[in-house]
Every structure is written in structure tokens, then in C-alpha cells.
Amino acid sequence: MTGRKVGVVALAFVLAVGACSDDDSDDASESVDLPDGAVAVVDDYRQAVAVDHDGDAMLAVVTEDFEFVDADGENDAGAWATSVDRLFDDFAVEQLSEATVVGEGDEYLFSQAERVTGSGVDMTGFTVMRVVDVDGTWLIDHHEFIAVN
């Protein structure tokens, strides 16, 4: 497992634990707001993947070295775009919680509990995305879905 991947998985765990905690104390794990451009790229990515099933539109909002990771393994941008194009019409993603966001400057991690459904699929888990500013443009360079069932 690469250092980059270990860092994302570790932070996903911290975000998930923080999202499930009833502790209202002020600490460093409190969620921050994504910059407007980063919000727009997350919305565009979700629209491309979960609603339109449009791999080309997804490619427009990710970095060249983007990777998608789930229980089936890692996919680079091209492989994930092909999978997105093949999603069934009944594929849907329901957000189950408010997003938790950490980061500052030109890099943020975004985590949210989700339910993914479709033909033969019904999974609950956490999506984690890293949103980065690349030369003034917000893009997603990593998306991981961690299933809990």
C-alpha cells in the first residue's frame, strides 16, 4: 500500500469516527467548509458518476493521476471512466449524513456516509474524496468507497 493511500485510509477512519461521535467538544477534527470551487467540482463529479453515468464528464473534473478505490481494487481515471459509462440506469447514491471536511489551502479531504444501490448492489459505507487545487482549478485526485456491509 502506497504512503498516499495509507494516509487517505487513515484519515477516512478519523473522519468516520468523528462523524459518528456524539462528542460536541471543539477539537482539530471539526469539519471545515470546502471552498466554493471545490464544492462545485464535488457536485459535478457526483452528477457525472451517480446521475448521468458519463465517464467523459467525470474525466473533466479529476486529475491525470486520479484513482478510484473500492473493495474490487484500484482503478485509474480511464478504467473508472469506462466503469462509470457502464453503470446501470437504476444505480443511485444516497447521502446518509452531512459531509465531514478537513484540510486547508489547496487540499481537502471530504468524507460522507452513503448508500449505493442498483442492479444487484446495496451497500452502505463511506466515500472519501481528496479535492485539490491544481494551478487554480479544483479537481478530485482520489475517491475511495469503504463499504461497511
Side-chain angles (χ1 to χ4, degrees):
M1 186 177 290
T2 66
R4 175 174 146 179
K5 189 172 175 184
V6 168
V8 170
V9 171
L11 192 47
F13 176 75
V14 170
L15 290 172
V17 169
C20 296
S21 173
D22 290 332
D23 183 6
D24 291 331
S25 64
D26 290 330
D27 63 23
S29 66
E30 272 193 36
S31 188
V32 300
D33 291 331
L34 279 174
D36 291 342
V39 170
V41 81
V42 168
D43 290 346
D44 290 349
Y45 177 85
R46 286 183 159 166
Q47 181 70 32
V49 173
V51 178
D52 298 336
H53 315 280
D54 185 342
D56 289 334
M58 185 276 304
L59 287 172
V61 296
V62 301
T63 62
E64 290 180 15
D65 64 344
F66 168 86
E67 61 183 3
F68 173 78
V69 181
D70 66 4
D72 293 330
E74 295 181 29
N75 294 276
D76 65 17
W80 181 231
T82 299
S83 295
V84 167
D85 285 336
R86 294 180 180 164
L87 290 172
F88 294 106
D89 288 339
D90 66 344
F91 179 84
V93 178
E94 174 188 2
Q95 281 80 45
L96 301 176
S97 69
E98 291 294 317
T100 300
V101 179
V102 296
E104 63 184 347
D106 62 359
E107 184 175 337
Y108 291 83
L109 282 173
F110 170 99
S111 177
Q112 190 166 34
E114 295 180 333
R115 180 174 180 214
V116 177
T117 57
S119 296
V121 175
D122 189 353
M123 296 183 294
T124 302
F126 284 90
T127 199
V128 179
M129 289 185 228
R130 184 171 36 231
V131 186
V132 296
D133 183 324
V134 178
D135 299 324
T137 301
W138 287 101
L139 298 169
I140 296 169
D141 81 338
H142 185 91
H143 176 194
E144 187 155 351
F145 182 76
I146 304 164
V148 295
N149 73 336

